[in-house]
């Protein structure tokens, strides 16, 4: 499994829990005669929260490296296992209990930097998995189906993919 990374720091042990919350910014306006109008203000960015443990003699030093990132360089590239990296800000790190000599429990919060998205290099490709559709690949790599169809003229329709087939991203 891929290690979680942020701003030059690589987690020695991936967090035990990891939640990724996505939402849109929506504003509601009251209109005459009791109605409500909703206005879509766009993608609000992801919030990533998690908890984990650090083990070994260097667990406190590893946690202090996270604190240092929070103070000195809170904005960086966040890589989560199995997800496309994106720019995020480290918003908080917190000790959950008094650290032991070789054990430390912590939690963290990241927020995506709105408007700044990392896209894989154009030479990257995905391999279609069993039961996977072009729609699912597009969602996973943060592209539209139309973009993938343009990059892959050999695919005539979104349903024309087979397991093992390469798809240029």
């Amino acid at each position: 499994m891929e290690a979680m990374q942020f701003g030059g720091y690589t987690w020695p042990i991936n967090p035990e829990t990891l939640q990724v919350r996505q939402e849109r910014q929506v504003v509601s306006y009251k209109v005459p005669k009791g109605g409500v109008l909703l206005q879509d203000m766009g993608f609000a960015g992801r919030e990533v929260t998690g908890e984990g443990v650090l083990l070994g003699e260097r667990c406190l030093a590893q946690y202090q490296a996270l604190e240092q990132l929070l103070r000195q360089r809170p904005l960086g590239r966040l890589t989560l296992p199995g997800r496309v990296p994106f720019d995020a800000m480290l918003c908080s790190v917190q000790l959950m209990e008094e650290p032991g000599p070789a054990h430390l429990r912590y939690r963290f919060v990241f927020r995506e930097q709105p408007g700044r998205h990392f896209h894989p290099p154009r030479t990257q490709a995905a391999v279609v998995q069993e039961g996977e559709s072009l729609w699912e690949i597009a969602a996973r790599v943060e592209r539209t189906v139309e973009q993938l169809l343009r990059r892959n003229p050999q695919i005539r329709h979104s349903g024309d993919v087979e397991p093992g087939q390469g798809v240029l991203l």
Side-chain angles (χ1 to χ4, degrees):
M1 175 180 268
E2 173 182 22
M4 185 168 153
Q5 298 177 4
F6 175 75
Y9 181 87
T10 299
W11 268 249
I13 302 170
N14 278 341
E16 294 173 336
T17 65
L18 189 65
Q19 298 86 34
V20 180
R21 190 178 98 199
Q22 300 183 57
E23 60 184 38
R24 299 193 71 74
Q25 293 177 334
V26 178
V27 177
S28 61
Y29 300 99
K30 291 184 180 182
V31 294
K33 299 183 183 179
V36 174
L37 173 68
L38 296 179
Q39 183 174 3
D40 180 5
M41 303 302 287
F43 180 63
R46 291 169 271 202
E47 180 180 80
V48 178
T49 59
E51 292 185 18
V53 294
L54 298 171
L55 302 172
E57 297 175 347
R58 298 197 24 82
C59 66
L60 186 57
Q62 292 166 348
Y63 178 79
Q64 289 169 337
L66 283 172
E67 287 182 318
Q68 196 72 1
L69 281 173
L70 177 69
R71 285 192 295 276
Q72 294 182 347
R73 197 175 63 188
L75 182 64
R77 180 71 38 86
L78 178 61
T79 302
L80 303 174
R83 311 256 332 209
V84 175
F86 58 92
D87 288 332
M89 183 170 286
L90 178 57
C91 298
S92 71
V93 292
Q94 176 185 3
L95 280 172
M96 300 300 295
E97 59 190 29
E98 190 65 32
H103 178 268
L104 181 147
R105 181 165 290 285
Y106 68 99
R107 80 170 43 147
F108 57 85
V109 175
F110 287 93
R111 288 200 179 87
E112 183 175 11
Q113 177 68 30
R116 292 182 55 150
H117 299 282
F118 171 73
H119 295 289
R122 307 268 296 152
T123 56
Q124 270 194 344
V127 176
V128 179
Q129 302 300 311
E130 185 71 38
E132 190 173 41
S133 71
L134 199 59
W135 289 94
E136 292 164 319
I137 294 169
R140 179 167 41 96
V141 299
E142 297 183 339
R143 301 260 196 246
T144 66
V145 170
E146 291 76 22
Q147 287 173 316
L148 294 181
L149 288 171
R150 278 196 302 274
R151 291 272 296 145
N152 296 274
Q154 77 281 10
I155 302 172
R156 297 193 191 287
H157 304 286
S158 60
D160 291 346
V161 293
E162 296 179 15
Q165 181 178 356
V167 176
L168 292 177
L169 306 178

